[in-house]
Coordinates of all heavy atoms in Angstrom, one line a residue:
K29 N -13.6 29.4 -16.4 CA -15.0 29.8 -16.4 C -15.7 29.5 -17.9 O -16.8 29.0 -17.9 CB -15.2 31.2 -16.1 CG -16.6 31.6 -16.0 CD -16.7 33.2 -15.6 CE -18.2 33.6 -15.4 NZ -18.2 35.1 -15.1
A30 N -14.9 29.7 -18.9 CA -15.4 29.4 -20.2 C -15.7 27.9 -20.4 O -16.6 27.5 -21.2 CB -14.4 29.8 -21.3
E31 N -15.1 27.0 -19.7 CA -15.2 25.6 -19.7 C -16.3 25.1 -18.6 O -16.4 23.9 -18.2 CB -14.0 24.8 -19.6 CG -13.1 24.9 -20.8 CD -13.7 24.0 -22.0 OE1 -14.5 23.2 -21.7 OE2 -13.2 24.2 -23.1
A32 N -16.9 26.1 -17.9 CA -17.9 25.8 -16.8 C -17.3 25.2 -15.7 O -17.9 24.3 -15.0 CB -19.1 25.0 -17.4
I33 N -16.0 25.4 -15.3 CA -15.4 25.0 -14.1 C -14.7 26.1 -13.3 O -14.4 27.1 -13.8 CB -14.3 23.9 -14.4 CG1 -13.2 24.4 -15.3 CG2 -14.9 22.6 -14.9 CD1 -12.1 23.4 -15.6
A34 N -14.4 25.9 -12.1 CA -13.7 26.9 -11.2 C -12.6 26.1 -10.7 O -12.8 25.0 -10.2 CB -14.6 27.5 -10.2
L35 N -11.4 26.6 -10.7 CA -10.2 26.0 -10.0 C -10.0 26.5 -8.6 O -9.6 27.7 -8.5 CB -9.0 26.1 -10.9 CG -9.1 25.7 -12.3 CD1 -7.7 25.8 -13.1 CD2 -9.7 24.3 -12.5
D36 N -10.1 25.6 -7.7 CA -9.7 26.1 -6.3 C -8.3 25.7 -6.1 O -7.9 24.6 -5.9 CB -10.6 25.2 -5.3 CG -10.3 25.5 -3.9 OD1 -9.7 26.6 -3.6 OD2 -10.7 24.8 -3.0
L37 N -7.5 26.7 -6.3 CA -6.0 26.6 -6.3 C -5.4 26.5 -4.8 O -5.6 27.5 -4.1 CB -5.4 27.6 -7.2 CG -5.8 27.7 -8.6 CD1 -5.3 29.0 -9.3 CD2 -5.2 26.4 -9.4
I38 N -4.8 25.4 -4.5 CA -4.2 25.2 -3.2 C -2.8 25.1 -3.2 O -2.3 24.0 -3.8 CB -5.0 23.9 -2.5 CG1 -6.5 24.1 -2.7 CG2 -4.4 23.8 -1.1 CD1 -7.2 22.8 -2.3
P39 N -2.0 26.0 -2.7 CA -0.6 25.9 -2.6 C -0.1 24.8 -1.7 O -0.7 24.5 -0.6 CB -0.2 27.3 -2.1 CG -1.3 27.8 -1.3 CD -2.4 27.3 -2.0
A40 N 1.0 24.2 -2.0 CA 1.6 23.1 -1.2 C 3.0 23.6 -0.7 O 3.6 24.3 -1.5 CB 1.6 21.8 -2.0
P41 N 3.4 23.2 0.5 CA 4.7 23.6 1.0 C 5.8 22.8 0.4 O 7.0 23.2 0.5 CB 4.6 23.3 2.5 CG 3.5 22.2 2.5 CD 2.6 22.4 1.4
S42 N 5.5 21.6 -0.1 CA 6.6 20.7 -0.7 C 6.0 19.8 -1.7 O 4.8 19.6 -1.7 CB 7.2 19.9 0.5 OG 6.3 19.0 1.0
W43 N 6.9 19.2 -2.5 CA 6.4 18.2 -3.5 C 5.8 16.9 -2.9 O 4.9 16.3 -3.4 CB 7.5 17.9 -4.4 CG 7.8 19.0 -5.4 CD1 8.9 19.7 -5.5 CD2 6.8 19.5 -6.5 NE1 8.8 20.7 -6.5 CE2 7.6 20.6 -7.1 CE3 5.7 19.1 -6.8 CZ2 6.9 21.3 -8.1 CZ3 5.0 19.9 -7.9 CH2 5.7 21.0 -8.5
S44 N 6.4 16.5 -1.8 CA 5.8 15.4 -1.1 C 4.5 15.6 -0.6 O 3.6 14.7 -0.7 CB 6.8 14.9 0.0 OG 6.9 15.8 1.0
S45 N 4.2 16.7 0.0 CA 2.8 17.0 0.5 C 1.9 17.2 -0.7 O 0.7 16.8 -0.6 CB 2.9 18.4 1.4 OG 3.2 19.4 0.6
L46 N 2.4 17.8 -1.8 CA 1.4 18.0 -3.0 C 1.1 16.6 -3.5 O -0.1 16.3 -3.8 CB 2.1 18.8 -4.1 CG 1.3 19.2 -5.2 CD1 1.8 20.5 -5.8 CD2 1.6 18.1 -6.4
R47 N 2.0 15.7 -3.6 CA 1.8 14.4 -4.2 C 0.8 13.6 -3.2 O -0.2 12.9 -3.7 CB 3.2 13.5 -4.2 CG 2.9 12.0 -4.6 CD 4.0 11.2 -4.0 NE 4.2 11.3 -2.5 CZ 5.2 10.9 -1.8 NH1 6.3 10.4 -2.4 NH2 5.2 11.1 -0.5
D48 N 0.9 13.8 -1.9 CA 0.0 13.2 -1.0 C -1.4 13.7 -1.1 O -2.4 13.1 -0.9 CB 0.5 13.2 0.5 CG 1.8 12.4 0.7 OD1 2.2 11.6 -0.2 OD2 2.5 12.6 1.7
M49 N -1.4 15.1 -1.3 CA -2.8 15.7 -1.4 C -3.5 15.1 -2.5 O -4.8 14.9 -2.5 CB -2.6 17.3 -1.7 CG -2.1 18.0 -0.3 SD -1.5 19.7 -0.7 CE -3.0 20.5 -1.2
L50 N -2.8 14.9 -3.6 CA -3.4 14.3 -4.9 C -3.7 12.8 -4.7 O -4.8 12.3 -4.9 CB -2.5 14.4 -6.1 CG -3.1 13.9 -7.5 CD1 -4.3 14.5 -7.8 CD2 -2.0 13.9 -8.5
G51 N -2.8 12.0 -4.2 CA -2.9 10.6 -3.9 C -4.0 10.2 -2.9 O -4.8 9.2 -3.2
F52 N -4.2 11.0 -1.9 CA -5.2 10.7 -0.9 C -6.5 11.4 -1.1 O -7.5 11.3 -0.3 CB -4.6 11.0 0.5 CG -3.6 10.1 1.0 CD1 -2.4 10.7 1.3 CD2 -3.7 8.8 1.1 CE1 -1.3 9.9 1.8 CE2 -2.7 8.0 1.4 CZ -1.5 8.6 1.8
G53 N -6.7 12.2 -2.2 CA -8.1 12.7 -2.6 C -8.3 14.0 -2.0 O -9.4 14.5 -2.1
R54 N -7.3 14.7 -1.4 CA -7.5 16.1 -0.9 C -7.9 17.0 -2.1 O -8.6 18.0 -2.0 CB -6.3 16.6 -0.2 CG -6.3 18.0 0.2 CD -7.3 18.4 1.3 NE -7.3 19.8 1.6 CZ -7.8 20.9 1.0 NH1 -8.4 20.5 -0.2 NH2 -7.6 22.0 1.3
V55 N -7.3 16.7 -3.3 CA -7.4 17.5 -4.5 C -7.7 16.5 -5.6 O -7.3 15.2 -5.5 CB -6.3 18.5 -4.8 CG1 -6.0 19.4 -3.7 CG2 -5.0 17.6 -5.0
D56 N -8.3 16.9 -6.7 CA -8.6 16.1 -7.8 C -7.5 16.2 -9.0 O -7.5 15.2 -9.8 CB -10.0 16.4 -8.5 CG -11.0 16.0 -7.5 OD1 -10.9 15.0 -6.7 OD2 -12.0 16.7 -7.4
A57 N -6.7 17.3 -8.9 CA -5.7 17.5 -9.9 C -4.5 18.2 -9.4 O -4.7 18.9 -8.3 CB -6.3 18.2 -11.2
A58 N -3.5 18.2 -10.1 CA -2.3 18.9 -9.4 C -1.2 19.2 -10.6 O -1.2 18.6 -11.6 CB -1.6 18.0 -8.5
H59 N -0.6 20.3 -10.3 CA 0.7 20.7 -11.0 C 1.9 19.9 -10.4 O 2.2 20.0 -9.3 CB 0.8 22.2 -10.6 CG 2.2 22.7 -10.8 ND1 2.9 23.3 -9.7 CD2 3.0 23.0 -11.9 CE1 4.1 23.8 -10.1 NE2 4.2 23.6 -11.4
L60 N 2.4 18.9 -11.2 CA 3.2 17.9 -10.7 C 4.4 17.7 -11.4 O 4.5 17.8 -12.7 CB 2.4 16.6 -10.5 CG 3.0 15.4 -9.8 CD1 3.2 15.8 -8.3 CD2 2.1 14.2 -9.9
L61 N 5.5 17.3 -10.7 CA 6.8 17.0 -11.4 C 6.6 15.8 -12.4 O 5.9 14.8 -12.0 CB 7.7 16.6 -10.3 CG 8.3 17.6 -9.4 CD1 8.8 17.0 -8.1 CD2 9.3 18.5 -10.0
S62 N 7.0 15.9 -13.5 CA 6.8 15.0 -14.6 C 7.2 13.5 -14.3 O 6.6 12.5 -14.7 CB 7.4 15.4 -16.0 OG 8.8 15.5 -15.8
V63 N 8.3 13.4 -13.5 CA 8.9 12.1 -13.2 C 8.0 11.4 -12.2 O 8.0 10.2 -12.0 CB 10.3 12.3 -12.7 CG1 11.0 10.9 -12.4 CG2 11.2 12.9 -13.8
V64 N 7.3 12.2 -11.3 CA 6.6 11.5 -10.2 C 5.6 10.5 -10.6 O 5.7 9.3 -10.1 CB 5.9 12.6 -9.3 CG1 5.0 11.8 -8.2 CG2 7.0 13.3 -8.5
P65 N 4.7 10.6 -11.4 CA 3.7 9.5 -11.9 C 4.5 8.4 -12.5 O 4.0 7.3 -12.4 CB 2.7 10.3 -12.8 CG 3.4 11.6 -13.2 CD 4.3 11.9 -12.1
V66 N 5.5 8.6 -13.3 CA 6.3 7.6 -13.9 C 7.0 6.8 -12.9 O 6.8 5.5 -12.9 CB 7.3 8.1 -14.8 CG1 8.2 7.1 -15.4 CG2 6.8 9.0 -15.9
A67 N 7.6 7.4 -11.8 CA 8.2 6.7 -10.7 C 7.2 5.8 -10.0 O 7.4 4.6 -9.7 CB 8.9 7.6 -9.7
M68 N 6.0 6.3 -9.7 CA 4.9 5.6 -9.1 C 4.4 4.5 -9.9 O 4.2 3.4 -9.3 CB 3.8 6.6 -8.7 CG 4.2 7.5 -7.6 SD 3.0 8.9 -7.4 CE 1.6 8.0 -6.7
G69 N 4.4 4.6 -11.2 CA 4.0 3.6 -12.1 C 5.1 2.3 -12.0 O 4.6 1.2 -12.3
L70 N 6.3 2.7 -11.6 CA 7.3 1.6 -11.5 C 7.3 1.0 -10.1 O 8.1 0.1 -9.8 CB 8.7 2.2 -11.9 CG 8.9 2.5 -13.3 CD1 10.2 3.3 -13.5 CD2 8.8 1.4 -14.3
G71 N 6.5 1.7 -9.2 CA 6.4 1.1 -7.9 C 7.4 1.7 -6.9 O 7.7 1.2 -5.9
L72 N 8.0 2.9 -7.3 CA 9.0 3.5 -6.5 C 8.1 4.5 -5.5 O 7.1 5.1 -5.9 CB 9.9 4.4 -7.3 CG 10.9 3.6 -8.1 CD1 11.6 4.5 -9.2 CD2 11.9 2.8 -7.2
G73 N 8.6 4.7 -4.3 CA 8.1 5.6 -3.3 C 7.1 4.9 -2.5 O 6.6 3.8 -2.7
S74 N 6.5 5.7 -1.5 CA 5.5 5.1 -0.6 C 4.1 5.2 -1.0 O 3.3 4.5 -0.4 CB 5.7 5.8 0.8 OG 5.5 7.2 0.7
M75 N 3.8 6.0 -2.1 CA 2.5 6.1 -2.5 C 2.2 5.1 -3.6 O 2.9 5.0 -4.6 CB 2.3 7.5 -3.0 CG 0.9 7.9 -3.7 SD -0.4 8.0 -2.4 CE 0.0 9.4 -1.5
T76 N 1.0 4.5 -3.4 CA 0.6 3.4 -4.3 C -0.5 3.7 -5.3 O -0.8 3.0 -6.1 CB 0.2 2.1 -3.6 OG1 -0.9 2.3 -2.7 CG2 1.3 1.6 -2.8
T77 N -1.1 5.0 -5.0 CA -2.1 5.3 -5.9 C -1.7 5.5 -7.4 O -0.7 6.1 -7.7 CB -2.8 6.7 -5.4 OG1 -3.0 6.7 -4.0 CG2 -3.9 7.2 -6.2
S78 N -2.5 5.1 -8.2 CA -2.2 5.3 -9.7 C -2.5 6.7 -10.2 O -3.7 7.2 -10.0 CB -3.0 4.2 -10.5 OG -2.8 4.4 -11.9
L79 N -1.6 7.2 -10.8 CA -1.7 8.7 -11.4 C -1.7 8.7 -12.8 O -1.0 7.8 -13.5 CB -0.7 9.6 -10.7 CG -0.6 9.8 -9.3 CD1 0.4 10.9 -8.9 CD2 -1.9 10.2 -8.7
A80 N -2.4 9.7 -13.4 CA -2.4 9.9 -14.8 C -1.8 11.3 -15.2 O -2.3 12.2 -14.6 CB -3.7 9.7 -15.4
A81 N -0.8 11.3 -16.0 CA -0.5 12.7 -16.6 C -1.3 13.0 -17.8 O -1.1 12.3 -18.9 CB 1.1 12.6 -16.9
V82 N -2.2 13.8 -17.8 CA -3.2 14.1 -18.8 C -2.7 15.1 -19.8 O -3.3 15.2 -20.8 CB -4.6 14.3 -18.3 CG1 -5.1 13.1 -17.6 CG2 -4.6 15.5 -17.5
S83 N -1.8 15.9 -19.4 CA -1.2 16.9 -20.4 C 0.2 17.4 -19.7 O 0.4 17.1 -18.5 CB -2.0 18.1 -20.7 OG -2.2 18.9 -19.6
V84 N 1.0 18.0 -20.6 CA 2.2 18.6 -20.1 C 1.9 20.0 -19.9 O 1.4 20.7 -20.6 CB 3.4 18.3 -21.0 CG1 4.6 19.2 -20.6 CG2 3.7 16.9 -21.1
L85 N 2.3 20.6 -18.6 CA 2.1 22.0 -18.3 C 3.2 22.8 -18.8 O 3.0 24.0 -19.1 CB 1.9 22.1 -16.8 CG 0.6 21.6 -16.2 CD1 0.6 21.8 -14.7 CD2 -0.6 22.3 -16.8
S86 N 4.5 22.3 -18.7 CA 5.6 23.2 -19.1 C 6.7 22.3 -19.6 O 7.0 21.2 -19.2 CB 6.1 24.0 -17.9 OG 6.5 23.2 -16.9
V87 N 7.5 22.9 -20.5 CA 8.7 22.3 -21.1 C 9.9 23.2 -20.7 O 9.8 24.4 -20.9 CB 8.7 22.2 -22.6 CG1 10.0 21.6 -23.2 CG2 7.5 21.3 -23.0
N88 N 10.9 22.6 -20.1 CA 12.1 23.3 -19.6 C 11.7 24.2 -18.4 O 10.6 24.0 -17.8 CB 12.8 24.1 -20.7 CG 13.3 23.2 -21.8 OD1 13.7 22.0 -21.6 ND2 13.1 23.6 -23.1
G89 N 12.5 25.2 -18.0 CA 12.2 26.1 -17.0 C 13.1 26.0 -15.8 O 12.9 26.7 -14.8
N90 N 14.0 25.1 -15.7 CA 14.8 24.9 -14.6 C 16.2 25.6 -14.8 O 16.6 25.9 -15.9 CB 15.3 23.4 -14.5 CG 14.1 22.6 -13.9 OD1 13.3 23.1 -13.1 ND2 14.0 21.3 -14.4
V91 N 16.9 26.0 -13.7 CA 18.2 26.5 -13.7 C 19.2 25.8 -12.8 O 18.7 25.2 -11.8 CB 18.2 28.0 -13.3 CG1 17.7 28.9 -14.4 CG2 17.5 28.2 -12.0
I92 N 20.4 25.6 -13.2 CA 21.4 25.1 -12.3 C 22.2 26.3 -11.9 O 22.7 27.1 -12.7 CB 22.3 24.1 -13.1 CG1 21.5 22.8 -13.5 CG2 23.5 23.6 -12.2 CD1 22.3 22.0 -14.3
G93 N 22.4 26.3 -10.6 CA 23.1 27.5 -10.0 C 24.2 27.0 -9.0 O 24.2 25.9 -8.5
V94 N 25.1 27.9 -8.6 CA 26.1 27.6 -7.6 C 26.1 28.7 -6.5 O 25.7 29.8 -6.8 CB 27.5 27.6 -8.3 CG1 27.6 26.4 -9.4 CG2 27.9 28.9 -9.0
G95 N 26.7 28.3 -5.3 CA 26.8 29.2 -4.3 C 28.0 30.1 -4.5 O 28.8 29.9 -5.5
R96 N 28.1 31.2 -3.6 CA 29.3 32.1 -3.8 C 30.7 31.5 -3.8 O 31.5 31.9 -4.6 CB 29.1 33.2 -2.8 CG 27.9 34.1 -3.0 CD 28.1 35.1 -4.2 NE 29.3 35.8 -4.2 CZ 29.4 36.9 -3.6 NH1 28.4 37.5 -3.0 NH2 30.5 37.6 -3.6
P97 N 30.9 30.5 -2.9 CA 32.3 29.9 -2.9 C 32.6 29.3 -4.3 O 33.7 29.5 -4.8 CB 32.2 28.9 -1.8 CG 31.2 29.5 -0.8 CD 30.2 30.0 -1.7
L98 N 31.6 28.5 -4.9 CA 32.0 28.0 -6.1 C 32.0 29.0 -7.2 O 32.8 28.9 -8.2 CB 30.8 26.9 -6.4 CG 31.1 25.4 -6.1 CD1 29.9 24.7 -6.5 CD2 32.3 24.9 -6.8
E99 N 31.1 30.0 -7.1 CA 31.2 31.1 -8.2 C 32.6 31.7 -8.1 O 33.1 31.9 -9.2 CB 30.1 32.2 -7.9 CG 30.1 33.3 -8.8 CD 29.3 34.4 -8.5 OE1 28.7 34.4 -7.3 OE2 29.2 35.5 -9.2
D100 N 33.1 32.1 -6.9 CA 34.4 32.7 -6.9 C 35.5 31.7 -7.3 O 36.4 32.2 -8.1 CB 34.7 33.0 -5.4 CG 33.8 34.1 -4.8 OD1 33.1 34.8 -5.6 OD2 33.7 34.3 -3.6
A101 N 35.4 30.5 -7.1 CA 36.4 29.5 -7.6 C 36.4 29.4 -9.2 O 37.4 29.3 -9.8 CB 36.2 28.2 -7.0
L102 N 35.2 29.4 -9.7 CA 35.0 29.4 -11.2 C 35.6 30.6 -11.8 O 36.2 30.6 -12.8 CB 33.5 29.2 -11.5 CG 32.8 27.8 -11.3 CD1 31.4 27.8 -11.4 CD2 33.4 26.7 -12.2
R103 N 35.3 31.7 -11.2 CA 35.8 33.0 -11.8 C 37.3 33.0 -11.7 O 37.9 33.6 -12.6 CB 35.2 34.3 -11.1 CG 33.7 34.3 -11.4 CD 33.1 35.7 -10.9 NE 31.7 35.8 -11.1 CZ 31.1 36.1 -12.1 NH1 31.7 36.4 -13.2 NH2 29.8 36.1 -12.1
A104 N 37.9 32.4 -10.6 CA 39.3 32.5 -10.5 C 40.0 31.7 -11.5 O 41.2 32.0 -11.9 CB 39.7 31.9 -9.1
Q105 N 39.4 30.7 -12.1 CA 40.0 29.9 -13.1 C 39.6 30.5 -14.5 O 39.9 29.8 -15.5 CB 39.6 28.5 -13.1 CG 38.1 28.1 -13.2 CD 37.8 26.6 -13.2 OE1 38.0 26.0 -14.2 NE2 37.4 26.2 -12.0

Side-chain angles (χ1 to χ4, degrees):
K29 185 177 182 180
E31 289 287 343
I33 56 175
L35 306 185
D36 179 15
L37 297 169
I38 304 169
S42 67
W43 285 113
S44 58
S45 63
L46 185 148
R47 176 204 58 194
D48 293 348
M49 289 166 70
L50 179 61
F52 291 123
R54 169 69 177 83
V55 297
D56 291 326
H59 157 244
L60 192 61
L61 296 158
S62 61
V63 181
V64 169
V66 176
M68 291 171 66
L70 292 174
L72 293 169
S74 58
M75 175 70 66
T76 59
T77 306
S78 176
L79 300 184
V82 296
S83 73
V84 172
L85 290 177
S86 62
V87 176
N88 302 321
N90 290 325
V91 287
I92 295 172
V94 296
R96 288 294 301 277
L98 265 182
E99 179 191 359
D100 292 342
L102 289 168
R103 292 189 187 279
Q105 62 176 280

